[in-house]
């Protein structure tokens, strides 16, 4: 679904300056967006607003003139361990389906389908703790599929992965994202750059300074990116 925010103002209670002053962002349905910016610029905070995590589970005061966000968005976070609530793969995925009131007899098939789609080959009863970082991120994407989210928000999902797993994660994402709106915060951009429709660059003051297609940015703003 489309997301639109107009004139977002946000100041952390103990901060001196506002994190965002009149930030505007519009993301069309089905668009794949890569968001870049220096550490501390506000990328994670903005993602948390785009999916309604703020204010649902983080009590941070803000105002906006327009706030069309997807409160049903699914998140994939930097730290794969922070996003699971159950001990095993099957319990984690069944828990999501229970919350959606899916009948028990349908669960197995849905879970198998989701695991197949994300290429996670593992025993269903496997403790999540025993999975590698890359497998956990695949599980997080499988969770998002089972949530039925129309929006996927990924916050540096490759930061705990070794170089060899990064391409596989992006391929997995590309296999399932077609009809979804996707926003990715990521600084290892090589393998994702050509797959997205738009790149948004945030500066250290929390302003969106560039918003264009990856190819135009490569031509016109390469020095800024570096
Ligand atoms: P990024 O993801 O771009 O690194 P963040 O959105 O995590 O940036 O943080 C932006 C700024 O807001 C940082 O200066 C950070 O210290 C501050 N910040 C983030 N979350 C909180 C919070 N819950 N309370 C106070 N300050 C915060
Ligand atoms: Mg962050």
């Amino acid at each position: 679904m489309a997301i639109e925010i107009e004139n977002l103002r946000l100041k952390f209670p103990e901060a001196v300056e506002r994190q965002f002053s009149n930030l505007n962002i519009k993301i069309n349905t089905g668009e794949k967006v890569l968001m870049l910016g220096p550490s501390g610029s506000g990328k994670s905070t903005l993602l948390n607003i785009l999916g309604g995590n703020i204010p649902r589970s983080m009590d941070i005061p803000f105002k906006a003139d327009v706030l069309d966000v997807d409160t049903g968005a699914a998140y994939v976070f930097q730290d794969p361990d922070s996003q699971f609530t159950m001990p095993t793969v099957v319990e984690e995925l069944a828990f999501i389906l229970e919350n959606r009131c899916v009948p028990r007899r349908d669960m197995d098939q849905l879970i198998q389908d989701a695991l197949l789609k994300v290429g996670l080959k593992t025993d269903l009863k496997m403790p999540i703790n025993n999975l590698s970082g890359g497998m956990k991120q695949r599980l997080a994407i499988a969770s998002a599929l089972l949530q039925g989210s129309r929006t996927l928000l990924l916050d540096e999902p490759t930061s705990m992965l070794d170089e060899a797993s990064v391409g596989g994660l992006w391929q997995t994402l590309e296999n399932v994202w077609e009809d979804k709106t996707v926003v990715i915060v990521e600084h290892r951009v090589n393998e994702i750059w050509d797959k997205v429709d738009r790149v948004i660059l945030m500066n250290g003051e929390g302003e969106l300074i560039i918003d264009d297609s990856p190819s135009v940015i490569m031509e016109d703003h390469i020095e800024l990116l570096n």
Side-chain angles (χ1 to χ4, degrees):
M1 69 180 263
I3 290 177
E4 186 165 14
I5 300 177
E6 271 180 26
N7 292 327
L8 171 66
R9 288 93 73 193
L10 181 147
K11 185 171 125 12
F12 288 106
E14 57 288 21
V16 179
E17 308 257 342
R18 277 182 175 173
Q19 185 64 40
F20 300 123
S21 305
N22 299 314
L23 180 146
N24 296 295
I25 186 167
K26 183 163 194 277
I27 298 168
N28 297 311
T29 305
E31 235 174 355
K32 323 299 179 217
V33 178
L34 175 63
M35 201 186 327
L36 305 175
S39 175
S41 54
K43 305 179 297 296
S44 296
T45 306
L46 186 56
L47 274 196
N48 278 318
I49 294 206
L50 296 180
N53 238 353
I54 300 175
R56 184 179 50 227
S57 47
M58 300 166 82
D59 183 21
I60 294 163
F62 72 91
K63 287 191 177 141
D65 296 343
V66 174
L67 188 72
D68 287 332
V69 299
D70 184 358
T71 54
Y75 284 91
V76 177
F77 292 107
Q78 175 171 2
D79 174 6
D81 290 321
S82 69
Q83 47 204 336
F84 305 114
T85 50
M86 304 298 275
T88 66
V89 169
V90 68
E91 287 169 288
E92 180 69 28
L93 298 177
F95 176 66
I96 291 165
L97 295 174
E98 268 165 32
N99 283 336
R100 299 185 67 195
C101 301
V102 171
R104 207 149 265 285
R105 62 176 180 280
D106 298 337
M107 285 188 183
D108 269 0
Q109 191 61 51
L110 289 170
I111 288 174
Q112 297 287 0
D113 289 350
L115 290 175
L116 193 66
K117 276 194 194 132
V118 302
L120 180 55
K121 297 186 194 75
T122 178
D123 192 299
L124 281 179
K125 297 211 171 72
M126 183 67 80
I128 295 174
N129 280 337
N130 294 5
L131 301 178
S132 69
M135 292 167 94
K136 284 175 184 164
Q137 293 302 46
R138 282 167 197 266
L139 179 61
I141 296 173
S143 305
L145 292 179
L146 292 178
Q147 276 172 49
S149 312
R150 289 175 294 173
T151 306
L152 273 176
L153 304 171
L154 299 99
D155 198 353
E156 304 195 24
T158 72
S159 29
M160 306 281 184
L161 305 189
D162 54 40
E163 219 43 64
S165 321
V166 172
L169 184 78
W170 294 138
Q171 189 56 56
T172 297
L173 190 64
E174 204 183 9
N175 291 344
V176 301
W177 79 6
E178 188 174 358
D179 58 341
K180 297 186 191 296
T181 305
V182 182
V183 183
I184 306 164
V185 170
E186 181 59 62
H187 58 272
R188 291 155 93 171
V189 300
N190 281 350
E191 292 176 75
I192 191 71
W193 189 265
D194 291 324
K195 300 185 195 288
V196 297
D197 305 308
R198 260 166 87 187
V199 178
I200 293 178
L201 191 62
M202 205 186 267
N203 68 9
E205 280 73 59
E207 298 164 327
L208 305 182
I209 50 171
I210 299 176
D211 181 348
D212 222 321
S213 70
S215 51
V216 169
I217 291 183
M218 263 307 181
E219 278 177 23
D220 297 356
H221 301 289
I222 188 68
E223 66 303 330
L224 243 174
L225 280 178
N226 290 335

